[in-house]
Amino acid sequence: MVSDDILRTHLQELRRGTVVVASLVALRRPDYGYALLQRLTDHGFPVDANTLYPLLRRLEDQGLLTSEWNTEESRPRKFYRTSAEGASLLDRLLADLSAVQTSVTGLIEGVER
């Protein structure tokens, strides 16, 4: 039987790339970091805040997200949104993810290519 540590490591590796896709999908509708964290968790992508916030900054630096501060509430919040460039990348990532899923399904079912 596989140890919990080994399983945890491989699940983390599997989810590492998908959290970028999930964030770009979720941020097609503007949201702030903590709400995104909750939304991702609610949809089966549990992400640590210490992982998500650097990811958001990196995606913003790459031009894949835009952001703006909302100072109308008692506590200012930075809202993020998938940019046009991020949406374009997301389309390509989703296509590749679909191809990977098809390939894995073929392997599982023994389908020849």
Side-chain angles (χ1 to χ4, degrees):
M1 186 163 162
V2 175
S3 74
D4 287 344
D5 287 342
I6 291 173
L7 176 61
R8 191 173 14 261
T9 298
H10 287 285
L11 287 174
Q12 183 180 20
E13 297 256 338
L14 181 63
R15 291 178 180 265
R16 186 169 285 142
T18 57
V19 75
V20 170
V21 172
S23 296
L24 290 172
V25 167
L27 291 172
R28 290 183 294 189
R29 184 183 81 203
D31 221 340
Y32 60 97
Y34 183 75
L36 175 62
L37 197 63
Q38 293 300 310
R39 216 157 123 209
L40 292 175
T41 298
D42 291 347
H43 283 87
F45 289 92
V47 181
D48 187 78
N50 293 326
T51 299
L52 183 64
Y53 288 105
L55 172 68
L56 292 174
R57 285 191 294 276
R58 180 171 54 86
L59 294 176
E60 185 178 16
D61 289 345
Q62 293 172 344
L64 304 174
L65 296 178
T66 59
S67 69
E68 68 180 56
W69 285 96
N70 178 349
T71 57
E72 295 174 5
E73 298 178 21
S74 59
R75 198 176 100 209
R77 292 182 177 167
K78 189 173 187 179
F79 279 76
Y80 295 90
R81 180 183 195 116
T82 302
S83 68
E85 191 173 341
S88 177
L89 175 69
L90 177 60
D91 288 343
R92 294 189 67 187
L93 292 174
L94 288 173
D96 193 63
L97 183 60
S98 178
V100 167
Q101 183 176 6
T102 298
S103 295
V104 170
T105 299
L107 286 169
I108 292 168
E109 295 174 355
V111 175
E112 294 294 326
R113 287 188 74 157

